[in-house]
Amino acid sequence: MTALAAAAAPDTRPGGLLRAVGRTHRAALVLSLLALAAAAVALIWLHSLGEEARAGVSACATPPTGGLPSCAAVDAITADETYRGGMSALATALSWLTFPVAAWAGGALIGRELENGTAQLAWTQSVTPVRWLAVKLAAPAALLTAGTGGLLLLNDWARGDGNPNLVGDWYYPDVFVSTGPVAVAYALAGLALGALTGLVWRRALPATGVALAASLVLHGVLERYRENLWPTVTRTEAGSFELPRSALQVAWADSPVNGVPLTRATFHPESHFWPLQYVETGLLLAVAATATAAAFLLLARRLP
Protein backbone atom coordinates (compact mmCIF):
# COMPACT_ATOMS: atom_id res chain seq x y z
CA MET A 1 0.00 0.00 0.00
CA THR A 2 1.39 3.43 -0.90
CA ALA A 3 1.89 6.21 1.63
CA LEU A 4 -1.00 8.09 0.05
CA ALA A 5 -3.37 5.18 0.40
CA ALA A 6 -2.18 4.48 3.92
CA ALA A 7 -2.91 8.06 4.95
CA ALA A 8 -6.43 7.83 3.59
CA ALA A 9 -7.21 4.19 4.40
CA PRO A 10 -10.52 3.92 6.23
CA ASP A 11 -10.75 2.68 9.77
CA THR A 12 -14.12 1.08 10.48
CA ARG A 13 -13.57 0.94 14.22
CA PRO A 14 -15.36 3.53 16.41
CA GLY A 15 -13.48 6.79 16.24
CA GLY A 16 -11.38 5.52 13.34
CA LEU A 17 -11.62 8.76 11.36
CA LEU A 18 -10.73 10.72 14.46
CA ARG A 19 -7.62 8.62 14.95
CA ALA A 20 -6.75 9.07 11.28
CA VAL A 21 -6.96 12.83 11.68
CA GLY A 22 -4.71 12.59 14.72
CA ARG A 23 -2.14 10.54 12.81
CA THR A 24 -2.19 12.86 9.82
CA HIS A 25 -1.69 15.97 11.94
CA ARG A 26 0.43 14.42 14.67
CA ALA A 27 3.15 17.06 14.38
CA ALA A 28 0.68 19.94 14.80
CA LEU A 29 -0.95 18.17 17.75
CA VAL A 30 2.36 17.58 19.50
CA LEU A 31 3.52 21.16 18.93
CA SER A 32 0.19 22.49 20.21
CA LEU A 33 0.35 20.38 23.36
CA LEU A 34 3.95 21.44 23.99
CA ALA A 35 3.03 25.09 23.53
CA LEU A 36 0.06 24.66 25.86
CA ALA A 37 2.23 22.99 28.52
CA ALA A 38 4.92 25.68 28.20
CA ALA A 39 2.35 28.45 28.55
CA ALA A 40 0.81 26.75 31.60
CA VAL A 41 4.20 26.39 33.30
CA ALA A 42 5.04 30.00 32.47
CA LEU A 43 1.77 31.25 33.98
CA ILE A 44 2.32 29.25 37.17
CA TRP A 45 5.81 30.71 37.47
CA LEU A 46 4.56 34.24 36.70
CA HIS A 47 1.91 33.89 39.40
CA SER A 48 4.64 33.47 42.02
CA LEU A 49 6.52 36.46 40.59
CA GLY A 50 3.32 38.47 40.65
CA GLU A 51 2.86 37.88 44.36
CA GLU A 52 6.40 39.17 44.96
CA ALA A 53 5.95 42.12 42.65
CA ARG A 54 2.69 43.14 44.32
CA ALA A 55 4.14 42.75 47.80
CA GLY A 56 7.40 44.47 46.92
CA VAL A 57 9.41 42.29 49.30
CA SER A 58 11.63 39.23 49.07
CA ALA A 59 12.99 36.58 51.38
CA CYS A 60 16.48 38.13 51.38
CA ALA A 61 15.38 41.58 52.58
CA THR A 62 18.11 43.52 54.41
CA PRO A 63 18.40 47.19 55.34
CA PRO A 64 20.08 49.29 52.59
CA THR A 65 23.68 50.24 53.23
CA GLY A 66 26.00 52.76 51.59
CA GLY A 67 23.16 54.39 49.71
CA LEU A 68 22.55 51.22 47.65
CA PRO A 69 19.12 49.60 47.34
CA SER A 70 18.51 46.61 49.54
CA CYS A 71 18.34 43.06 48.24
CA ALA A 72 14.56 43.31 48.66
CA ALA A 73 14.35 46.40 46.47
CA VAL A 74 16.49 44.87 43.74
CA ASP A 75 14.50 41.63 43.81
CA ALA A 76 11.20 43.51 43.76
CA ILE A 77 12.28 45.52 40.71
CA THR A 78 13.46 42.38 38.93
CA ALA A 79 10.26 40.49 39.75
CA ASP A 80 8.16 43.47 38.66
CA GLU A 81 9.87 43.79 35.27
CA THR A 82 9.86 40.05 34.61
CA TYR A 83 6.22 39.73 35.61
CA ARG A 84 5.14 42.66 33.43
CA GLY A 85 7.05 41.37 30.42
CA GLY A 86 5.89 37.78 30.82
CA MET A 87 2.22 38.66 31.27
CA SER A 88 2.36 41.03 28.31
CA ALA A 89 3.95 38.39 26.07
CA LEU A 90 1.39 35.73 27.00
CA ALA A 91 -1.49 38.18 26.53
CA THR A 92 -0.20 38.98 23.04
CA ALA A 93 0.17 35.28 22.20
CA LEU A 94 -3.40 34.53 23.30
CA SER A 95 -4.88 37.50 21.46
CA TRP A 96 -3.13 36.57 18.21
CA LEU A 97 -3.91 32.84 18.42
CA THR A 98 -6.40 33.11 15.58
CA PHE A 99 -3.65 33.68 13.00
CA PRO A 100 -1.65 30.43 13.34
CA VAL A 101 -4.92 28.52 13.73
CA ALA A 102 -6.33 29.99 10.51
CA ALA A 103 -3.08 29.39 8.61
CA TRP A 104 -2.89 25.76 9.77
CA ALA A 105 -6.56 25.09 9.04
CA GLY A 106 -6.38 26.55 5.55
CA GLY A 107 -2.99 25.18 4.59
CA ALA A 108 -2.59 21.82 6.32
CA LEU A 109 -5.96 20.72 7.66
CA ILE A 110 -7.91 21.23 4.41
CA GLY A 111 -5.84 22.72 1.58
CA ARG A 112 -2.97 20.24 1.59
CA GLU A 113 -5.21 17.18 1.77
CA LEU A 114 -7.30 18.39 -1.16
CA GLU A 115 -4.18 19.28 -3.11
CA ASN A 116 -2.51 15.91 -2.45
CA GLY A 117 -5.66 13.91 -3.12
CA THR A 118 -5.80 12.19 0.28
CA ALA A 119 -9.25 13.63 0.96
CA GLN A 120 -10.68 12.43 -2.36
CA LEU A 121 -9.21 8.98 -1.80
CA ALA A 122 -10.88 8.76 1.62
CA TRP A 123 -14.22 9.79 0.09
CA THR A 124 -14.12 6.85 -2.32
CA GLN A 125 -13.95 4.39 0.56
CA SER A 126 -15.99 4.36 3.77
CA VAL A 127 -15.82 8.07 4.68
CA THR A 128 -18.39 10.49 3.30
CA PRO A 129 -17.23 14.04 2.50
CA VAL A 130 -19.61 15.54 5.05
CA ARG A 131 -18.36 13.24 7.80
CA TRP A 132 -14.76 13.91 6.76
CA LEU A 133 -15.20 17.67 7.09
CA ALA A 134 -17.22 17.36 10.30
CA VAL A 135 -14.46 15.39 12.04
CA LYS A 136 -11.78 17.64 10.55
CA LEU A 137 -13.45 20.63 12.22
CA ALA A 138 -14.86 19.05 15.39
CA ALA A 139 -11.60 17.54 16.66
CA PRO A 140 -9.47 20.74 16.53
CA ALA A 141 -12.43 22.84 17.68
CA ALA A 142 -12.74 20.74 20.85
CA LEU A 143 -8.99 20.92 21.49
CA LEU A 144 -8.89 24.67 20.87
CA THR A 145 -11.84 25.29 23.19
CA ALA A 146 -10.40 23.18 25.99
CA GLY A 147 -6.82 24.40 25.63
CA THR A 148 -7.59 28.09 25.21
CA GLY A 149 -10.21 27.99 27.96
CA GLY A 150 -7.72 26.40 30.33
CA LEU A 151 -5.10 29.04 29.55
CA LEU A 152 -7.65 31.79 30.13
CA LEU A 153 -8.37 30.45 33.62
CA LEU A 154 -4.64 30.22 34.38
CA ASN A 155 -4.09 33.70 32.98
CA ASP A 156 -6.84 35.12 35.19
CA TRP A 157 -5.28 33.39 38.21
CA ALA A 158 -1.79 34.67 37.34
CA ARG A 159 -3.10 38.24 37.00
CA GLY A 160 -3.94 38.24 40.72
CA ASP A 161 -5.85 41.38 41.65
CA GLY A 162 -5.53 42.73 38.10
CA ASN A 163 -3.36 45.68 39.11
CA PRO A 164 -3.21 47.72 35.85
CA ASN A 165 0.29 48.93 36.72
CA LEU A 166 1.45 45.32 36.44
CA VAL A 167 -0.85 43.64 33.92
CA GLY A 168 -2.29 46.53 31.89
CA ASP A 169 -5.72 48.15 31.85
CA TRP A 170 -8.69 45.98 30.97
CA TYR A 171 -9.35 47.80 27.69
CA TYR A 172 -5.86 47.33 26.19
CA PRO A 173 -6.43 45.21 23.04
CA ASP A 174 -4.23 42.27 24.05
CA VAL A 175 -5.43 42.32 27.66
CA PHE A 176 -9.08 42.48 26.62
CA VAL A 177 -8.82 39.49 24.28
CA SER A 178 -6.70 37.37 26.61
CA THR A 179 -8.92 37.70 29.69
CA GLY A 180 -12.31 36.54 28.45
CA PRO A 181 -14.19 34.09 26.23
CA VAL A 182 -13.49 36.22 23.17
CA ALA A 183 -10.08 34.49 22.92
CA VAL A 184 -11.78 31.12 22.39
CA ALA A 185 -14.15 32.66 19.86
CA TYR A 186 -11.24 34.13 17.89
CA ALA A 187 -9.59 30.70 17.70
CA LEU A 188 -12.81 29.05 16.49
CA ALA A 189 -13.41 31.80 13.93
CA GLY A 190 -9.85 31.34 12.64
CA LEU A 191 -10.42 27.59 12.34
CA ALA A 192 -13.65 28.07 10.36
CA LEU A 193 -12.19 30.74 8.08
CA GLY A 194 -9.15 28.58 7.42
CA ALA A 195 -11.31 25.58 6.56
CA LEU A 196 -13.41 27.65 4.17
CA THR A 197 -10.41 29.11 2.37
CA GLY A 198 -8.91 25.62 2.11
CA LEU A 199 -12.04 24.36 0.37
CA VAL A 200 -12.20 27.39 -1.93
CA TRP A 201 -8.56 27.36 -3.07
CA ARG A 202 -7.83 23.62 -2.59
CA ARG A 203 -4.11 24.33 -2.42
CA ALA A 204 -2.08 24.73 0.73
CA LEU A 205 -0.11 27.91 0.02
CA PRO A 206 -2.88 30.14 -1.38
CA ALA A 207 -5.32 28.92 1.29
CA THR A 208 -2.82 29.77 4.02
CA GLY A 209 -2.32 33.29 2.71
CA VAL A 210 -6.02 34.01 2.27
CA ALA A 211 -6.85 32.56 5.70
CA LEU A 212 -4.26 34.82 7.31
CA ALA A 213 -5.58 37.84 5.43
CA ALA A 214 -9.19 37.09 6.39
CA SER A 215 -8.24 36.65 10.05
CA LEU A 216 -6.24 39.88 10.00
CA VAL A 217 -9.18 41.81 8.59
CA LEU A 218 -11.57 40.31 11.15
CA HIS A 219 -9.19 41.02 14.03
CA GLY A 220 -8.54 44.59 12.86
CA VAL A 221 -12.19 45.48 12.30
CA LEU A 222 -13.34 44.22 15.70
CA GLU A 223 -10.44 45.91 17.47
CA ARG A 224 -11.17 49.19 15.67
CA TYR A 225 -14.90 49.21 16.44
CA ARG A 226 -14.85 47.42 19.81
CA GLU A 227 -15.87 50.53 21.73
CA ASN A 228 -19.05 50.76 19.61
CA LEU A 229 -20.29 47.29 20.53
CA TRP A 230 -22.01 48.49 23.69
CA PRO A 231 -23.66 51.83 24.60
CA THR A 232 -21.30 54.25 26.31
CA VAL A 233 -21.88 56.25 29.48
CA THR A 234 -21.94 60.05 29.31
CA ARG A 235 -20.97 62.18 32.28
CA THR A 236 -21.48 65.96 32.30
CA GLU A 237 -20.36 68.23 35.13
CA ALA A 238 -19.64 71.89 35.70
CA GLY A 239 -15.92 72.53 35.56
CA SER A 240 -13.28 69.91 34.94
CA PHE A 241 -13.06 66.41 36.37
CA GLU A 242 -11.03 63.25 35.92
CA LEU A 243 -12.31 59.87 34.89
CA PRO A 244 -11.17 56.84 36.88
CA ARG A 245 -8.24 55.04 35.33
CA SER A 246 -10.39 52.01 34.70
CA ALA A 247 -12.59 53.97 32.27
CA LEU A 248 -12.08 53.73 28.51
CA GLN A 249 -12.45 57.28 27.28
CA VAL A 250 -14.31 57.58 23.96
CA ALA A 251 -14.94 61.34 23.67
CA TRP A 252 -14.20 64.45 25.72
CA ALA A 253 -15.50 67.99 25.24
CA ASP A 254 -15.46 71.31 27.11
CA SER A 255 -18.13 73.86 26.26
CA PRO A 256 -19.70 76.86 28.03
CA VAL A 257 -23.46 76.70 28.60
CA ASN A 258 -25.10 79.93 29.84
CA GLY A 259 -21.69 81.17 30.79
CA VAL A 260 -20.92 78.09 32.88
CA PRO A 261 -18.08 75.84 31.64
CA LEU A 262 -19.23 72.24 31.30
CA THR A 263 -17.15 69.15 30.74
CA ARG A 264 -18.70 66.16 29.01
CA ALA A 265 -17.05 62.75 28.83
CA THR A 266 -18.26 59.69 26.97
CA PHE A 267 -16.63 56.48 28.17
CA HIS A 268 -16.87 52.79 29.02
CA PRO A 269 -16.55 52.04 32.74
CA GLU A 270 -14.87 48.83 33.84
CA SER A 271 -18.30 47.28 34.36
CA HIS A 272 -18.69 47.21 30.56
CA PHE A 273 -15.94 44.62 30.24
CA TRP A 274 -18.31 41.64 30.25
CA PRO A 275 -21.00 43.13 27.97
CA LEU A 276 -18.29 43.99 25.44
CA GLN A 277 -16.84 40.49 25.80
CA TYR A 278 -20.20 38.82 25.22
CA VAL A 279 -21.10 40.92 22.19
CA GLU A 280 -17.73 40.40 20.51
CA THR A 281 -17.79 36.69 21.34
CA GLY A 282 -21.25 36.43 19.79
CA LEU A 283 -20.09 38.18 16.62
CA LEU A 284 -17.07 35.88 16.31
CA LEU A 285 -19.15 32.76 16.87
CA ALA A 286 -21.56 34.01 14.20
CA VAL A 287 -18.62 34.40 11.81
CA ALA A 288 -17.43 30.90 12.72
CA ALA A 289 -20.90 29.41 12.20
CA THR A 290 -21.36 31.22 8.88
CA ALA A 291 -17.95 30.15 7.58
CA THR A 292 -18.59 26.55 8.69
CA ALA A 293 -21.99 26.46 6.98
CA ALA A 294 -20.46 27.94 3.82
CA ALA A 295 -17.73 25.29 3.90
CA PHE A 296 -20.28 22.45 4.05
CA LEU A 297 -22.40 24.01 1.28
CA LEU A 298 -19.33 24.49 -0.91
CA LEU A 299 -18.26 20.91 -0.32
CA ALA A 300 -21.72 19.64 -1.27
CA ARG A 301 -21.81 21.71 -4.47
CA ARG A 302 -18.40 20.48 -5.62
CA LEU A 303 -19.22 16.83 -5.18
CA PRO A 304 -19.92 14.92 -8.41
Side-chain angles (χ1 to χ4, degrees), residues 23-126:
R23 288 195 302 269
T24 304
H25 303 284
R26 185 185 296 113
L29 177 61
V30 171
L31 286 175
S32 299
L33 292 176
L34 288 175
L36 180 64
V41 170
L43 284 169
I44 294 171
W45 174 61
L46 287 169
H47 176 265
S48 64
L49 284 182
E51 291 181 341
E52 186 173 344
R54 284 186 290 270
V57 296
S58 72
C60 61
T62 56
T65 59
L68 297 176
S70 68
C71 178
V74 173
D75 284 358
I77 293 173
T78 302
D80 180 276
E81 292 177 348
T82 304
Y83 181 72
R84 286 170 185 253
M87 293 302 297
S88 176
L90 283 168
T92 301
L94 275 172
S95 64
W96 289 73
L97 180 63
T98 183
F99 298 107
V101 169
W104 173 76
L109 184 69
I110 303 296
R112 187 177 65 188
E113 294 210 23
L114 290 173
E115 184 177 9
N116 292 342
T118 55
Q120 292 87 337
L121 184 58
W123 300 345
T124 63
Q125 302 185 45
S126 66

